[in-house]
Amino acid sequence: MVACYPGNGQGYGDRQCLTCTYYLNRGWDSQVCGGVPCIYPEGRPVVANIKPLFDRLLIFWSDRLNPHKVKPAYATRYAITLWYFDAKERAEAKGKYQLASGKKGMQVPISQVSGTS
């Protein structure tokens, strides 16, 4: 996913197994702009707050053992994110997409193969 977060104070969070995010904003000041990812390792009193600095690649296990969220951003933030879902989470995400689209039972193409003759 290539994303542009509008910076209106919204955060982001979802369920995945593995998250990889590459940050694209030069001169990002986390104290002013926010948008800081927070990881809460289960059973530990530690919170990892990672500044979304330009050219930083953040890779972390984002399953139930590492709950996480992104604090609200107050400036437009650009990032490229890649998620890995396990089979159960993929099925749940697919169902969530179908409900959000208002087209229950809709087929979501995984890939398209064009045949050549």
Side-chain angles (χ1 to χ4, degrees):
M1 172 178 78
V2 177
C4 171
Y5 298 91
N8 58 3
Q10 294 181 349
Y12 184 78
D14 211 339
R15 287 188 38 194
Q16 306 85 26
C17 275
L18 183 69
T19 298
C20 306
T21 302
Y22 181 66
Y23 298 103
L24 301 168
N25 288 68
R26 290 186 188 271
W28 188 264
D29 182 346
S30 298
Q31 291 182 341
V32 174
C33 302
V36 175
C38 304
I39 303 172
Y40 305 89
E42 187 175 273
R44 295 185 180 174
V46 177
V47 175
N49 294 303
I50 299 95
K51 292 181 181 179
L53 302 176
F54 175 74
D55 200 30
R56 174 173 277 175
L57 176 63
L58 173 62
I59 302 172
F60 64 99
W61 293 110
S62 50
D63 58 6
R64 65 178 179 79
L65 297 178
N66 280 320
H68 67 286
K69 70 175 185 176
V70 176
K71 290 182 180 178
Y74 299 100
T76 302
R77 186 174 75 117
Y78 298 94
I80 298 172
T81 301
L82 174 70
W83 292 302
Y84 171 78
F85 292 88
D86 68 15
K88 180 181 176 191
E89 289 169 328
R90 182 184 175 283
E92 289 173 1
K94 184 177 174 182
K96 183 178 173 182
Y97 171 78
Q98 290 172 347
L99 291 174
S101 71
K103 298 178 183 176
K104 190 172 181 177
M106 181 179 100
Q107 294 295 317
V108 178
I110 303 304
S111 63
Q112 289 186 327
V113 178
S114 58
T116 56
S117 303

